[in-house]
């Protein structure tokens, strides 16, 4: 059960376990993605968790963009919940029952990398099916300095942001090499 507290960007609530929650319903339009990112940034600043901002913004952008593209209803919900310690759950709920699938990266594909990025920067992520749609979430935790992300298959990077940047570079180089090979073909 959630109870309401003071107003601000997004609706501020308190979960039954006493943890703070911020939630907002946004229209299913591309302009809502930067709004969701701002809400995440402001909420994490309020919670004094600046080390999670980059990863949380990336997660909410990817999940919100998926809701904008695939959900069949006029709105979607973004929720942030602070858990034990400094763990934060970033979630997007929409009325589509289509479950997102983490696919292998394909150099030829124009999309399909969003969930790989979510997986790279989160300690865990998942989808909870609902009778009328789904709830896609990712848990974020500050990483102890110098320790690699536990689920990463990429070379050791000090932060989740560094891992995401590494992943972007690898994909971009793969696309560049593929384009060069195709253009040099007889």
């Amino acid at each position: 059960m959630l109870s309401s507290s003071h107003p601000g960007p997004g609706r501020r609530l308190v979960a039954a376990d006493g943890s703070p929650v911020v939630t907002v319903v946004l229209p299913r339009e591309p302009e809502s993605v930067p709004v969701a990112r701002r809400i995440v940034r402001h909420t994490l600043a309020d919670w004094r968790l600046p080390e999670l901002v980059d990863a949380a913004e990336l997660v909410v952008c990817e999940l919100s963009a998926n809701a904008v593209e695939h959900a069949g209803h006029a709105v979607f919900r973004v929720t942030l919940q602070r858990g034990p310690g400094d763990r934060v759950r970033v979630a997007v709920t929409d009325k589509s029952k289509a479950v997102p699938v983490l696919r292998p990266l394909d150099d030829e594909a124009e999309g399909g990398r969003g969930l790989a990025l979510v997986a790279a920067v989160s300690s865990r992520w998942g989808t909870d099916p609902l009778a009328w749609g789904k709830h896609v979430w990712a848990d974020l935790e500050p990483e102890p300095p110098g320790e690699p992300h536990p689920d990463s298959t990429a070379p050791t990077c000090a932060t989740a942001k560094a891992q995401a940047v590494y992943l972007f570079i690898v994909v971009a180089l793969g696309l560049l090499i593929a384009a060069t090979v195709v253009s040099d073909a007889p």
Side-chain angles (χ1 to χ4, degrees):
M1 181 59 130
L2 298 175
S3 63
S4 185
S5 75
H6 59 82
R11 188 166 171 213
R12 297 178 182 274
L13 307 167
V14 177
D17 65 2
S19 61
V21 176
V22 172
T23 187
V24 63
V25 175
L26 297 169
R28 191 176 64 94
E29 351 179 291
E31 297 79 16
S32 292
V33 175
V35 172
R37 190 172 52 244
R38 278 193 303 278
I39 290 167
V40 163
R41 186 174 40 250
H42 291 291
T43 300
L44 293 178
D46 287 348
W47 291 348
R48 292 178 174 71
L49 294 171
E51 66 276 16
L52 294 180
V53 169
D54 292 334
E57 284 183 329
L58 183 135
V59 167
V60 82
C61 284
E62 294 300 335
L63 298 182
S64 296
N66 284 349
V68 167
E69 184 175 345
H70 301 293
H73 192 51
V75 297
F76 65 96
R77 177 178 296 277
V78 173
T79 304
L80 286 93
Q81 181 170 3
R82 186 166 183 174
D86 289 337
R87 182 183 59 80
V88 172
R89 177 165 284 188
V90 178
V92 171
T93 306
D94 64 52
K95 290 196 174 186
S96 168
K97 289 187 178 186
V99 176
V101 177
L102 178 61
R103 291 178 261 168
L105 294 178
D106 178 0
D107 293 340
E108 302 294 320
E110 291 184 23
R113 293 176 187 85
L115 286 178
L117 292 172
V118 170
V121 301
S122 63
S123 57
R124 64 188 193 125
W125 73 278
T127 303
D128 297 329
L130 304 169
W132 44 264
K134 68 182 172 301
H135 182 75
V136 185
W137 53 267
D139 288 341
L140 305 172
E141 299 178 37
E143 295 175 16
E147 290 190 22
H149 190 275
D151 295 333
S152 176
T153 56
T156 303
C157 297
T159 67
K161 182 179 178 183
Q163 288 178 346
V165 169
Y166 173 82
L167 183 60
F168 276 123
I169 291 169
V170 168
V171 170
L173 286 174
L175 292 172
L176 181 62
I177 291 168
T180 303
V181 169
V182 170
S183 66
D184 290 343

